[in-house]
Amino acid sequence: MQDDLELLKSYKQIIKRWWVIVLAAFLGGLLAFGFSYLKPGLYQAEAVFHASIDFTEINFENLQSGNNAPLTFTQYDEDIALQVVQRMLLATRNEAFRYAQTLDPDLDITTFVRNSQIRRYHAQWYLRYRHTDPEIAQSIVNYWADLGWQALQDAQTNGKAETFVIVDLVSTAELPQVDIYLNRNNLILAGTLIGFVAGVVLVDFSQRVRGKAARTA
């Protein structure tokens, strides 16, 4: 019963002094926001490939499925075929990393992989890299894009990649002008939550101290 009364008192005190908790949460988020600027900004460079399928190059008449029925090209088959862009970029990643080390000798493979990105959106593939130096980010992306493009051309010539996939390097990386801050929103959210918890603890602790002082007076 005593514990229930103490809990009720704490709850009422928290409701009464809600502004302290809100202020603490705001200050926590503000501190996290300021801390995010202490981290060096990253510049993201981006090259874009366009990939499509030339269905006139696929000989459907002579292709059959396992039950001797005419073969149909499903959306899944199309997605797998278009992934040749990703395969070539991944196949040349180590060479791109070695080039990146000539620009940034302190770069390690873990950081290189974490700051690189290969993403598909509809018919376009995006090759991205982030670095604190915008010129390095641009150089790495353009070098890597050229590697992947040449690897794809060689693979299609040698019959190691589907020739009915048409890929164009539609844009190389331009020099990034604005840096980006990774995980800023997460930092602000974490700081706000920490401030909120700290505010609740502060209000509850102050109420207990005052209650103890009143009992001993």
Side-chain angles (χ1 to χ4, degrees), residues 150-170:
Q150 189 58 54
L152 176 60
Q153 300 302 304
D154 294 341
Q156 288 182 327
T157 300
N158 298 329
K160 296 180 180 180
E162 298 84 349
T163 57
F164 55 81
V165 179
I166 303 173
V167 180
D168 294 311
L169 179 57
V170 295

Side-chain angles (χ1 to χ4, degrees), residues 22-152:
V22 172
L23 180 61
F26 174 77
L27 290 176
L30 188 62
L31 288 173
F33 179 76
F35 176 76
S36 70
Y37 279 97
L38 298 178
K39 301 177 64 178
L42 295 176
Y43 293 85
Q44 179 172 279
E46 175 184 274
V48 183
F49 294 84
H50 184 276
S52 59
I53 294 178
D54 184 358
F55 290 98
T56 64
E57 293 294 321
I58 305 177
N59 187 3
F60 287 103
E61 295 180 357
N62 295 326
L63 295 177
Q64 292 182 334
S65 61
N67 57 2
N68 295 324
L71 183 66
T72 58
F73 211 72
T74 65
Q75 183 62 50
Y76 174 78
D77 296 324
E78 184 174 344
D79 291 338
I80 292 297
L82 293 178
Q83 284 182 2
V84 67
V85 178
Q86 182 184 42
R87 294 201 305 271
M88 293 301 106
L89 291 175
L90 290 177
T92 55
R93 183 170 62 185
N94 287 340
E95 189 174 349
F97 168 65
R98 288 190 290 270
Y99 171 75
Q101 282 189 310
T102 65
L103 304 176
D104 181 2
D106 296 328
L107 187 64
D108 59 77
I109 185 62
T110 301
T111 303
F112 180 81
V113 172
R114 183 175 65 246
N115 288 332
S116 62
Q117 186 181 79
I118 304 171
R119 291 288 185 271
R120 177 191 169 195
Y121 185 72
H122 296 312
Q124 292 183 321
W125 283 94
Y126 295 87
L127 173 63
R128 302 180 178 120
Y129 189 76
R130 299 181 292 266
H131 197 274
T132 55
D133 187 323
E135 294 184 354
I136 291 180
Q138 179 191 32
S139 297
I140 290 175
V141 168
N142 286 335
Y143 184 84
W144 192 355
D146 288 339
L147 282 178
W149 170 252
Q150 189 58 54
L152 176 60

Side-chain angles (χ1 to χ4, degrees), residues 205-217:
F205 178 75
S206 62
Q207 187 269 334
R208 291 178 184 275
V209 169
R210 288 196 302 271
K212 183 177 180 181
R215 287 193 297 269
T216 57

